[in-house]
Amino acid sequence: MDAKRVVDLLYWRDVKTTGVVFGAALLLLLSLTVCSIVSVCSYIGLALLSVTICFRIYKGILQAIQKSDEGHPFKQYLDQEVALSEDMVHKYSDMVLAKLNKTISELRRLFLVEDLVDSIKFAVLMWILTYVGALFNGLTILILALVGVFSCPIIYEKHQAQIDHYLALVNNQIKDVVGKIQAKVPGMKRKAE
């Protein structure tokens, strides 16, 4: 899936497609809050299998009544190649490996305090996440993230001027506070980059 299609999906350019993707993903996550992943996968498989078996039987009865020989109703899908190519697997595994290596080196840098300010920021983030973890479980955060990913871009697109104005105000306030803290605490001044 290329970047343009993802952007079109998140900005609701095709409402029907976005609605189906968003609804299916939200239904899956909500189902996981009630049932285990094994149960959810089994129910989805059973539902899909029930639909395809019923459709196959329906088409078979229809062919018997009309005395036609259309063949298997899913023949076009059975004839399609569904294997992953080696090139695609190598491409994506190399991308994942590069990101994993970058993440490991960044975590090493943060945990071994290469830069004191960055390590303190990371510690504050971890401290905040302990409170987030106490309030929400992982699935709740995923559901909130899914709703945010599908709603924030369109809200920002419609109200960009107001949002940019208030974000600039907040950003200036944060810079002022960080500047004051860095000026008062020894050893926290950023290196000139």
Side-chain angles (χ1 to χ4, degrees), residues 11-48:
Y11 279 94
W12 294 76
R13 303 286 189 244
D14 181 6
V15 176
K16 185 186 280 186
T17 303
T18 301
V20 168
V21 170
F22 175 65
L26 189 61
L27 182 66
L28 176 68
L29 290 175
L30 289 173
S31 299
L32 287 173
T33 62
V34 178
C35 301
S36 72
I37 192 163
V38 173
S39 297
V40 171
C41 290
S42 298
Y43 286 133
I44 289 172
L46 279 172
L48 186 62

Side-chain angles (χ1 to χ4, degrees), residues 6-175:
V6 172
V7 169
D8 288 347
L9 190 70
L10 296 179
Y11 279 94
W12 294 76
R13 303 286 189 244
D14 181 6
V15 176
K16 185 186 280 186
T17 303
T18 301
V20 168
V21 170
F22 175 65
L26 189 61
L27 182 66
L28 176 68
L29 290 175
L30 289 173
S31 299
L32 287 173
T33 62
V34 178
C35 301
S36 72
I37 192 163
V38 173
S39 297
V40 171
C41 290
S42 298
Y43 286 133
I44 289 172
L46 279 172
L48 186 62
L49 200 53
S50 298
V51 169
T52 55
I53 288 172
C54 289
F55 185 73
R56 171 86 193 269
I57 291 171
Y58 168 75
K59 283 298 220 177
I61 292 171
L62 212 59
Q63 288 174 9
I65 292 173
Q66 295 175 347
K67 298 190 188 327
S68 67
D69 190 23
E70 295 176 12
H72 197 286
F74 297 115
K75 179 140 179 62
Q76 69 182 26
Y77 300 110
L78 290 170
D79 292 340
Q80 288 180 347
E81 182 66 34
V82 292
L84 295 173
S85 70
E86 268 189 57
D87 294 336
M88 185 168 39
V89 171
H90 286 298
K91 174 185 164 188
Y92 287 112
S93 64
D94 289 344
M95 286 173 38
V96 167
L97 182 62
K99 292 213 184 266
L100 182 65
N101 286 333
K102 184 177 179 184
T103 301
I104 289 170
S105 65
E106 182 66 19
L107 287 173
R108 180 188 66 191
R109 187 182 77 78
L110 290 170
F111 280 110
L112 298 179
V113 195
E114 183 178 305
D115 183 4
L116 182 63
V117 175
D118 285 344
S119 292
I120 290 174
K121 286 179 186 176
F122 185 65
V124 169
L125 175 67
M126 293 295 107
W127 180 66
I128 290 170
L129 287 178
T130 61
Y131 287 102
V132 171
L135 294 173
F136 304 108
N137 67 20
L139 280 174
T140 305
I141 293 172
L142 281 175
I143 291 169
L144 291 173
L146 180 73
V147 171
V149 161
F150 277 93
S151 59
C152 289
I154 195 75
I155 291 170
Y156 179 74
E157 186 178 56
K158 290 185 182 203
H159 304 288
Q160 184 174 359
Q162 299 95 327
I163 292 172
D164 285 345
H165 171 71
Y166 288 112
L167 282 177
L169 291 175
V170 169
N171 196 19
N172 289 336
Q173 289 288 352
I174 290 173
K175 283 182 182 176

